[in-house]
mmCIF file of all heavy atoms in Angstrom:
data_model
loop_
_atom_site.group_PDB
_atom_site.id
_atom_site.type_symbol
_atom_site.label_atom_id
_atom_site.label_comp_id
_atom_site.label_asym_id
_atom_site.label_seq_id
_atom_site.Cartn_x
_atom_site.Cartn_y
_atom_site.Cartn_z
ATOM 1 N N GLU A 29 93.624 92.384 -167.778
ATOM 2 C CA GLU A 29 95.028 92.411 -167.346
ATOM 3 C C GLU A 29 95.104 91.856 -165.911
ATOM 4 O O GLU A 29 94.343 92.212 -165.035
ATOM 5 C CB GLU A 29 95.507 93.843 -167.361
ATOM 6 C CG GLU A 29 96.887 93.989 -166.794
ATOM 7 C CD GLU A 29 97.262 95.506 -166.803
ATOM 8 O OE1 GLU A 29 96.776 96.255 -167.541
ATOM 9 O OE2 GLU A 29 98.171 95.789 -165.978
ATOM 10 N N VAL A 30 96.000 90.934 -165.739
ATOM 11 C CA VAL A 30 96.181 90.269 -164.430
ATOM 12 C C VAL A 30 97.301 91.058 -163.687
ATOM 13 O O VAL A 30 98.365 91.223 -164.222
ATOM 14 C CB VAL A 30 96.555 88.803 -164.554
ATOM 15 C CG1 VAL A 30 96.865 88.226 -163.208
ATOM 16 C CG2 VAL A 30 95.444 88.073 -165.251
ATOM 17 N N LEU A 36 107.324 88.751 -150.944
ATOM 18 C CA LEU A 36 108.681 88.476 -150.480
ATOM 19 C C LEU A 36 108.830 86.969 -150.297
ATOM 20 O O LEU A 36 107.928 86.323 -149.776
ATOM 21 C CB LEU A 36 108.977 89.136 -149.133
ATOM 22 C CG LEU A 36 109.196 90.657 -149.154
ATOM 23 C CD1 LEU A 36 109.429 91.152 -147.775
ATOM 24 C CD2 LEU A 36 110.367 91.071 -150.055
ATOM 25 N N VAL A 41 112.716 87.298 -146.408
ATOM 26 C CA VAL A 41 112.326 87.655 -144.999
ATOM 27 C C VAL A 41 113.449 87.286 -144.033
ATOM 28 O O VAL A 41 113.734 88.085 -143.146
ATOM 29 C CB VAL A 41 111.019 86.906 -144.642
ATOM 30 C CG1 VAL A 41 110.674 87.136 -143.156
ATOM 31 C CG2 VAL A 41 109.853 87.342 -145.547
ATOM 32 N N LEU A 44 115.908 90.007 -144.418
ATOM 33 C CA LEU A 44 115.426 91.186 -143.727
ATOM 34 C C LEU A 44 115.693 91.090 -142.223
ATOM 35 O O LEU A 44 116.151 92.058 -141.615
ATOM 36 C CB LEU A 44 113.966 91.409 -144.031
ATOM 37 C CG LEU A 44 113.255 92.473 -143.255
ATOM 38 C CD1 LEU A 44 113.900 93.852 -143.438
ATOM 39 C CD2 LEU A 44 111.774 92.547 -143.663
ATOM 40 N N ALA A 49 118.833 92.808 -137.465
ATOM 41 C CA ALA A 49 119.714 92.413 -136.323
ATOM 42 C C ALA A 49 121.063 93.197 -136.489
ATOM 43 O O ALA A 49 121.607 93.701 -135.529
ATOM 44 C CB ALA A 49 119.970 90.929 -136.316
ATOM 45 N N HIS A 58 107.683 88.483 -139.143
ATOM 46 C CA HIS A 58 106.937 87.251 -139.453
ATOM 47 C C HIS A 58 106.226 87.418 -140.790
ATOM 48 O O HIS A 58 105.623 88.507 -141.023
ATOM 49 C CB HIS A 58 105.878 86.967 -138.376
ATOM 50 C CG HIS A 58 106.464 86.786 -137.012
ATOM 51 N ND1 HIS A 58 107.013 85.584 -136.580
ATOM 52 C CD2 HIS A 58 106.610 87.617 -135.957
ATOM 53 C CE1 HIS A 58 107.429 85.703 -135.370
ATOM 54 N NE2 HIS A 58 107.226 86.950 -134.976
ATOM 55 N N GLY A 64 95.155 86.016 -151.773
ATOM 56 C CA GLY A 64 95.417 87.204 -152.557
ATOM 57 C C GLY A 64 96.671 87.981 -152.230
ATOM 58 O O GLY A 64 96.879 89.047 -152.759
ATOM 59 N N GLU A 71 107.788 91.844 -134.220
ATOM 60 C CA GLU A 71 107.632 91.928 -132.796
ATOM 61 C C GLU A 71 109.009 91.981 -132.143
ATOM 62 O O GLU A 71 109.987 91.478 -132.708
ATOM 63 C CB GLU A 71 106.858 90.711 -132.276
ATOM 64 C CG GLU A 71 107.587 89.422 -132.403
ATOM 65 C CD GLU A 71 106.796 88.213 -131.858
ATOM 66 O OE1 GLU A 71 105.825 88.418 -131.173
ATOM 67 O OE2 GLU A 71 107.201 87.088 -132.184
ATOM 68 N N ILE A 73 112.100 91.092 -129.801
ATOM 69 C CA ILE A 73 112.704 89.879 -129.306
ATOM 70 C C ILE A 73 113.055 90.093 -127.825
ATOM 71 O O ILE A 73 113.760 91.042 -127.498
ATOM 72 C CB ILE A 73 113.972 89.434 -130.061
ATOM 73 C CG1 ILE A 73 113.635 89.190 -131.594
ATOM 74 C CG2 ILE A 73 114.642 88.219 -129.420
ATOM 75 C CD1 ILE A 73 114.797 88.967 -132.410
ATOM 76 N N ASN A 85 111.840 102.437 -140.665
ATOM 77 C CA ASN A 85 112.812 103.070 -141.534
ATOM 78 C C ASN A 85 113.830 102.013 -142.029
ATOM 79 O O ASN A 85 114.232 101.989 -143.200
ATOM 80 C CB ASN A 85 113.560 104.169 -140.790
ATOM 81 C CG ASN A 85 112.746 105.397 -140.610
ATOM 82 O OD1 ASN A 85 111.763 105.623 -141.349
ATOM 83 N ND2 ASN A 85 113.086 106.209 -139.690
ATOM 84 N N PRO A 93 115.821 99.126 -152.351
ATOM 85 C CA PRO A 93 116.689 98.738 -153.464
ATOM 86 C C PRO A 93 116.210 97.475 -154.222
ATOM 87 O O PRO A 93 116.645 97.248 -155.317
ATOM 88 C CB PRO A 93 118.027 98.447 -152.780
ATOM 89 C CG PRO A 93 117.959 99.042 -151.425
ATOM 90 C CD PRO A 93 116.487 99.103 -151.073
ATOM 91 N N GLY A 95 113.042 97.107 -155.026
ATOM 92 C CA GLY A 95 111.852 97.480 -155.753
ATOM 93 C C GLY A 95 110.566 97.344 -154.968
ATOM 94 O O GLY A 95 109.491 97.334 -155.566
ATOM 95 N N SER A 105 103.451 98.295 -136.967
ATOM 96 C CA SER A 105 103.900 97.019 -136.525
ATOM 97 C C SER A 105 103.603 95.862 -137.515
ATOM 98 O O SER A 105 104.057 94.782 -137.376
ATOM 99 C CB SER A 105 103.277 96.628 -135.163
ATOM 100 O OG SER A 105 101.891 96.574 -135.311
#
Side-chain angles (χ1 to χ4, degrees):
E29 175 182 338
V30 175
L36 287 177
V41 174
L44 173 56
H58 300 278
E71 65 179 348
I73 297 173
N85 288 339
S105 61

